[in-house]
Amino acid sequence: MSMIRDLRAAVRPSLRPSFRKNTAPYSAYDTTRDPSASTAVVDCAVYRDGRRLEGPTTPTPHEAMLEVREKGGFAWIGLHEPTEEEFAGIAREFGLHPLAVEDAVHAHQRPKLERYDDTLFTVFKTIHYVEHDELTATSEVVETGEVMCFTGRDFVITVRHGGQGSLRGLRHRLQEDPELLAKGPSAVLHAVADHVVDGYIAVAEAVQDDIDEVEIDVFSTPAKGGRRGSDAGRIYQLKREVLEFKRAVSPLLRPMQLLSERPMRLIDPDIQKYFRDVADHLARVQEEVIGFDELLNSILQANLAQATVAQNEDMRKITSWAAIIAVPTAICGIYGMNFDYMPELEWKYGYPLVLGLIGAVCFSIHRILKRNGWL
């Protein structure tokens, strides 16, 4: 269908940024909301026939809903970390369920899809890659945020938590494609889901680079004076960050499958088929994250095994030198006893003979141990 053909191009940037070191992050921190402002509304607009209705001032959520009820279209309201008081009026205006409102205000929710009467409530976990010059045992690799979407017949409300994951650029791209926005709130829901999953893909690429770096360090020859096993802290920290990534990705797969497979009155049929593409990309990211976790387990085990082998090598060297030192210790100990009658005590060549014997025995033991790889 011609008006849906360029759907992916409309909701995505032409070039996907990647999280490479020394480059700008994919999702910059949003500065659209003044911390001293008394409202959590970042943007509010009415869309009719896919176009934003412009006015002398930005409408309030109440004014936007009146406009929609009188003349049609749908309202898109964007909020950033609203308080209970700030969200109460919007919840009453749009008839939002109290349980969903509580989740949207307090955040820290698991990715999910719930239906309350004629409203879909969707929770997305956003992932932001934290740039770092060097991965350490305390490095923060990923930072999470949340985006909640209330999708109704004639409105969509996005609630964002966290300093990253701004939807302003996404809104601008959608406004450049009126045919897509004409499909209503479900087009916005798809765009948000696609935007979030795109972020997952970019973060997965960056995390892969960190894992490759750790893997190279673990299996490379340690520098002189270096200690094997010293990478265990970095590996464990990276595992913790991958686990946080996994908690954002895995629970979202089932909601995306439901949106792509189960007919829903609130989802336009032409839009629904594109949720299948989002679900496929999400499944690929999930497989990568699971692979990251398994690979890190293997790297950690290899690192600990290397540390054990290094300790065994050190113990063999210590044991070898102890065996060599035992020879002069034993002979000197014997001749240090205070007996009157001992062989060679009065002999002129007794002393050099004993020294020669000690040297010969120690040299022989050293050759044997070195030939067997103990030294």
Side-chain angles (χ1 to χ4, degrees):
M1 186 172 294
S2 59
M3 61 181 172
I4 302 297
R5 187 173 301 164
D6 298 328
L7 178 65
R8 298 191 62 79
V11 299
R12 293 184 177 183
S14 57
L15 293 176
R16 176 185 299 151
S18 63
F19 290 109
R20 301 297 179 188
K21 292 179 175 57
N22 301 322
T23 61
Y26 177 70
S27 296
Y29 278 75
D30 183 32
T31 57
T32 57
R33 181 188 175 195
D34 183 358
S36 62
S38 60
T39 177
V41 178
V42 175
D43 200 352
C44 179
V46 175
Y47 297 88
R48 188 176 299 126
D49 297 327
R51 299 187 182 279
R52 178 169 180 156
L53 301 184
E54 299 292 348
T57 59
T58 301
T60 65
H62 176 70
E63 294 170 341
M65 204 57 199
L66 289 178
E67 178 75 16
V68 168
R69 289 168 180 167
E70 291 177 2
K71 300 180 181 179
F74 74 93
W76 181 359
I77 302 168
L79 305 174
H80 180 227
E81 297 183 352
T83 63
E84 294 182 8
E85 294 76 13
E86 290 171 330
F87 204 34
I90 297 176
R92 288 192 299 267
E93 182 71 35
F94 293 91
L96 305 181
H97 196 279
L99 291 177
V101 171
E102 181 181 0
D103 289 346
V105 170
H106 296 290
H108 303 294
Q109 300 299 313
R110 188 173 185 266
K112 59 183 178 180
L113 171 67
E114 295 178 342
R115 180 171 180 174
Y116 296 97
D117 299 326
D118 289 332
T119 303
L120 288 178
F121 177 60
T122 314
V123 177
F124 302 95
K125 283 278 190 182
T126 58
I127 297 292
H128 169 70
Y129 181 75
V130 180
E131 296 289 341
H132 46 266
D133 295 330
E134 181 182 0
L135 182 65
T136 66
T138 58
S139 294
E140 185 180 15
V141 178
V142 296
E143 183 179 13
T144 60
E146 292 181 44
V147 174
M148 288 95 160
C149 290
F150 293 88
T151 309
R153 294 182 181 277
D154 51 10
F155 69 88
V156 57
I157 302 172
T158 55
V159 182
R160 184 169 60 87
H161 290 267
Q164 44 81 26
S166 173
L167 301 177
R168 170 163 289 198
L170 176 66
R171 185 189 287 261
H172 290 166
R173 291 196 298 273
L174 283 173
Q175 290 174 172
E176 294 174 357
D177 190 348
E179 288 185 320
L180 176 60
L181 268 180
K183 289 297 180 179
S186 60
V188 177
L189 178 61
H190 168 268
V192 172
D194 195 53
H195 173 74
V196 170
V197 174
D198 268 358
Y200 293 166
I201 295 174
V203 172
E205 293 175 357
V207 172
Q208 178 69 67
D209 290 342
D210 284 335
I211 294 176
D212 291 342
E213 179 182 334
V214 169
E215 186 176 20
I216 292 173
D217 290 343
V218 167
F219 289 101
S220 62
T221 303
K224 185 176 181 180
R227 295 177 56 193
R228 291 190 181 274
S230 59
D231 292 312
R234 295 197 302 157
I235 299 171
Y236 187 72
Q237 176 65 14
L238 197 53
K239 275 183 61 65
R240 289 177 61 89
E241 299 297 303
V242 168
L243 178 60
E244 187 173 359
F245 193 3
K246 184 178 180 180
R247 287 172 179 167
V249 173
S250 297
L252 187 59
L253 185 58
R254 181 57 180 166
M256 290 300 101
Q257 291 174 341
L258 291 176
L259 288 172
S260 63
E261 298 171 359
R262 181 177 297 179
M264 297 183 183
R265 289 178 298 174
L266 297 174
I267 304 298
D268 189 283
D270 291 330
I271 297 294
Q272 186 173 33
K273 65 185 71 173
Y274 289 94
F275 277 106
R276 195 174 309 143
D277 182 68
V278 177
D280 289 342
H281 285 188
L282 185 63
R284 190 186 75 182
V285 175
Q286 183 189 33
E287 291 174 357
E288 290 181 353
V289 173
I290 293 175
F292 292 162
D293 190 46
E294 294 176 351
L295 180 58
L296 286 171
N297 282 334
S298 300
I299 294 174
L300 182 60
Q301 291 174 0
N303 181 254
L304 296 178
Q306 285 182 339
T308 302
V309 169
Q311 290 176 352
N312 290 337
E313 291 177 354
D314 293 340
M315 290 302 300
R316 288 198 301 180
K317 291 179 180 179
I318 294 172
T319 303
S320 299
W321 285 111
I324 294 174
I325 295 174
V327 175
T329 301
I331 295 177
C332 293
I334 291 174
Y335 277 89
M337 294 184 293
N338 296 320
F339 291 103
D340 292 332
Y341 302 100
M342 293 184 68
E344 289 80 33
L345 284 179
E346 302 296 334
W347 187 37
K348 178 179 179 180
Y349 301 103
Y351 178 69
L353 176 63
V354 171
L355 290 181
L357 178 64
I358 291 174
V361 174
C362 291
F363 179 76
S364 300
I365 295 175
H366 183 275
R367 289 293 301 271
I368 293 172
L369 293 174
K370 192 171 184 65
R371 184 176 57 192
N372 292 335
W374 282 55
L375 287 175

